[in-house]
């Protein structure tokens, strides 16, 4: 296995799958400003996907492009974290997921900006500016909704309880993670845990939400061994054009 | 038609000064700070650009506009190179660009994270409507004195 390729797929697929899920809000968000914010967030993530998967395709060296990787792979070739593929549900869960992910991405991309691989460092430094902006919005929104009405507080707590068992997968340390650390490309994601915990605690406390009392974590997305049933349905929509009209271009 | 060999890099920069940003046409792509370098090698011209936001759809249009903009001056052997590091920052907006944005009604980016004043009435009584706006590079704000909504160029 080419660990660098695998590592790049994880970064690209996280951005792609969350980017696609977020884009599902386009036109149906609860307010015009939120609709625009969600569409812009999705756009940033899809842009980051092009950079990560573009580099992944080069590293793979089989003549595939970023588009080939996005539109012509099936469920078990995807390497995104499970938390990012589960359905959006309501606006609260969408923003809670964005917050849990952003709180990971900011320290993670900060660390990757110092990668020994200068392409990784460049993509990370670019994405970090966007992730920092996303975190500002998602954390403020989690606080506004958590510390809002009884209903918004209940919905945010439900969202957190639902997503929590998925969040732990972000902090992996498998053979690929270890190989990337040995090569100086990236620290193991598990080392981000304490920074993430601090951010989460600060925000949840300001949002009047309680951190779930479990450390159970689903796994299987980042290594492709066991995705949820939802990813296939998402890909069926996302990939329909390339599946129906192979090779179609603008 | 002018031979590329007779054209200086400074001349190419001047040509690029007249290529407008497709989303904010009052400023040029040079004022926007996306053109990193221009290099003439033999008969071909290489223009290096840095994207503003990684997913900004205007970047594809900017690439096309550079090619057509230079073709107007007989320069057809153009190579575009994308460079993402160091990442684009609003610090690269030119003084001229900032002044034109203000005239156009777009508040200039500020390190403090919000507009210094309303670009229409100059009041400092402004509030944020949304962190995002009509393009990836802008946010929506509102003046609570003249009541006009306006765009603010996000500071990154």
């Amino acid at each position: 296995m080419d660990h660098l390729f695998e590592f790049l797929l994880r970064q690209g697929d996280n951005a792609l799958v969350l980017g696609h899920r977020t884009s599902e809000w386009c036109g149906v968000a609860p307010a015009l400003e939120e609709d625009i914010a969600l569409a812009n967030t999705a756009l940033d993530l899809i842009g980051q996907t092009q950079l990560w998967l573009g580099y992944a395709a080069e590293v793979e060296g089989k003549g595939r492009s970023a588009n080939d990787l996005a539109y012509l792979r099936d469920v078990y070739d995807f390497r995104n974290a499970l938390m990012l593929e589960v359905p959006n549900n309501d606006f609260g869960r969408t923003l809670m997921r964005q917050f849990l992910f952003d709180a990971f991405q900011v320290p993670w991309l900060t660390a990757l900006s110092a990668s020994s691989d200068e392409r990784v460092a460049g993509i990370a430094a670019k994405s970090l500016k966007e992730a920092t902006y996303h975190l500002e919005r998602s954390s403020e929104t989690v606080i506004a909704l958590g510390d809002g009405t009884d209903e918004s507080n209940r919905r945010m707590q439900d969202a957190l309880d639902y997503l929590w068992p998925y969040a732990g997968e972000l902090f992996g340390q498998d053979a690929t993670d270890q190989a990337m650390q040995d090569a100086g490309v990236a620290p193991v994601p598990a080392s981000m845990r304490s920074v993430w915990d601090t951010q989460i605690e600060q925000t949840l406390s300001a949002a009047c939400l309680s951190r779930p009392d479990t450390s159970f974590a689903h796994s299987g997305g980042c290594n492709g061994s066991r995705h949820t049933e939802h990813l296939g349905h998402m890909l069926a929509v996302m990939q329909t054009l390339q599946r129906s009209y192979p090779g179609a271009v603008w | 038609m002018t031979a590329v060999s007779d054209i200086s890099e400074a001349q190419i920069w001047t040509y690029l000064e007249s290529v407008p940003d497709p989303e904010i046409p009052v400023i040029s792509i040079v004022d926007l700070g996306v053109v990193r370098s221009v290099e003439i090698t033999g008969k071909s011209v290489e223009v290096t650009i840095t994207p503003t936001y990684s997913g900004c759809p205007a970047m594809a249009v900017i690439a096309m506009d550079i090619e057509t903009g230079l073709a107007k001056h007989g320069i057809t052997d153009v190579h575009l190179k994308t460079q993402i590091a160091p990442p684009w920052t609003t610090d690269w907006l030119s003084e001229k660009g900032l002044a034109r944005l203000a005239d156009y009604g777009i508040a200039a980016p500020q390190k403090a994270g919000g507009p210094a004043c309303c670009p229409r009435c100059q009041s400092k009584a402004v509030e944020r409507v949304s962190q995002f706006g009509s393009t990836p590079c802008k946010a929506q704000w509102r003046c609570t004195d003249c009541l006009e909504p306006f765009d603010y160029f996000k500071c990154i």
Side-chain angles (χ1 to χ4, degrees):
Chain A
M1 180 166 40
D2 182 334
H3 289 301
L4 179 58
F5 176 61
E6 189 78 7
F7 167 82
L8 293 170
L9 284 184
R10 290 176 183 183
Q11 312 316 311
D13 288 346
N14 276 351
L16 174 60
V17 171
L18 183 60
H20 185 81
R21 280 295 188 209
T22 308
S23 79
E24 291 173 359
W25 278 103
C26 193
V28 295
L32 181 61
E33 288 77 11
E34 291 307 329
D35 203 297
I36 292 170
L38 287 159
N40 270 285
T41 304
L43 192 63
D44 286 341
L45 290 164
I46 304 289
Q48 294 168 17
T49 304
Q50 288 175 327
L51 299 172
W52 289 119
L53 293 187
Y55 184 32
E58 279 177 50
V59 167
E60 186 194 32
K62 290 184 180 164
R64 292 204 279 184
S65 65
N67 278 341
D68 294 336
L69 291 173
Y71 294 115
L72 299 175
R73 281 179 304 150
D74 213 335
V75 170
Y76 289 98
D77 296 324
F78 271 75
R79 295 292 181 266
N80 59 283
L82 299 174
M83 182 176 81
L84 309 177
E85 72 193 38
V86 296
N88 291 331
N89 195 257
D90 60 10
F91 179 73
R93 195 204 278 177
T94 303
L95 263 295
M96 178 60 79
R97 166 166 62 189
Q98 186 72 43
F99 166 65
L100 296 174
F101 182 65
D102 292 341
F104 172 77
Q105 283 298 85
V106 169
W108 175 240
L109 294 169
T110 303
L112 296 192
S113 302
S115 174
S116 63
D117 182 316
E118 66 174 36
R119 293 282 297 278
V120 168
I123 298 170
K126 176 83 209 148
S127 307
L128 176 59
K129 290 193 173 217
E130 294 162 1
T132 305
Y133 202 78
H134 295 170
L135 177 60
E136 196 183 311
R137 169 173 175 270
S138 60
S139 57
E140 281 179 11
T141 314
V142 163
I143 293 169
L145 291 173
D147 186 17
T149 64
D150 287 347
E151 183 182 356
S152 72
N153 174 272
R154 175 180 55 75
R155 288 212 200 186
M156 292 311 273
Q157 187 65 53
D158 287 350
L160 180 62
D161 293 347
Y162 176 85
L163 293 167
W164 192 256
Y166 291 107
E169 191 191 9
L170 296 170
F171 307 96
Q173 45 182 344
D174 66 7
T176 291
D177 297 323
Q178 199 55 52
M180 290 299 99
Q181 171 152 296
D182 294 346
V185 173
V188 292
S191 65
M192 300 292 121
R193 184 88 207 201
S194 63
V195 181
W196 186 82
D197 278 338
T198 306
Q199 166 83 58
I200 295 297
E201 271 186 41
Q202 278 173 3
T203 304
L204 292 186
S205 136
C208 311
L209 297 170
S210 331
R211 181 186 167 124
D213 187 21
T214 170
S215 56
F216 173 77
H218 290 288
S219 62
C222 294
N223 59 23
S225 66
R226 190 174 57 186
H227 278 282
T228 68
E229 76 222 61
H230 307 292
L231 182 61
H233 293 273
M234 194 201 95
L235 294 184
V237 173
M238 189 183 90
Q239 299 179 331
T240 183
L241 194 127
Q242 279 302 323
R243 300 289 187 191
S244 309
Y245 303 93
V249 290
W250 281 104
Chain B
M1 188 180 282
T2 327
V4 168
S5 50
D6 295 337
I7 293 174
S8 67
E9 283 167 10
Q11 186 62 54
I12 305 273
W13 278 97
T14 312
Y15 294 154
L16 294 175
E17 284 270 8
S18 62
V19 176
D21 174 274
E23 303 271 16
I24 312 164
V26 289
I27 61 169
S28 78
I29 56 165
V30 174
D31 289 327
L32 184 65
V34 297
V35 182
R36 295 268 62 72
S37 64
V38 170
E39 208 172 308
I40 300 175
T41 317
K43 289 188 167 150
S44 72
V45 176
E46 184 178 80
V47 180
T48 304
I49 55 176
T50 294
T52 50
Y53 285 78
S54 53
C56 184
M59 292 314 294
V61 180
I62 287 175
M64 210 160 63
D65 289 349
I66 290 176
E67 287 180 346
T68 50
L70 293 180
K72 270 195 276 185
H73 299 282
I75 304 160
T76 51
D77 192 357
V78 178
H79 296 275
L80 288 172
K81 205 170 102 183
T82 303
Q83 179 188 313
I84 61 161
W88 179 82
T89 156
T90 36
D91 292 346
W92 293 349
L93 284 161
S94 71
E95 288 297 325
K96 176 158 64 74
L98 290 170
R100 287 193 178 166
L101 282 177
D103 287 345
Y104 191 57
I106 300 174
Q110 304 289 336
K111 296 275 182 232
C117 63
C118 167
R120 295 183 189 278
C121 74
Q122 280 28 272
S123 162
K124 292 193 190 313
V126 292
E127 64 181 17
R128 193 177 70 194
V129 177
S130 171
Q131 265 163 303
F132 291 87
S134 55
T135 65
C137 57
K138 290 178 289 183
Q140 297 172 74
W141 284 66
R142 168 167 55 209
C143 175
T144 53
D145 275 339
C146 75
L147 304 180
E148 286 292 327
F150 62 91
D151 278 332
Y152 164 65
F153 212 104
K154 283 150 57 171
C155 185
I156 67 164

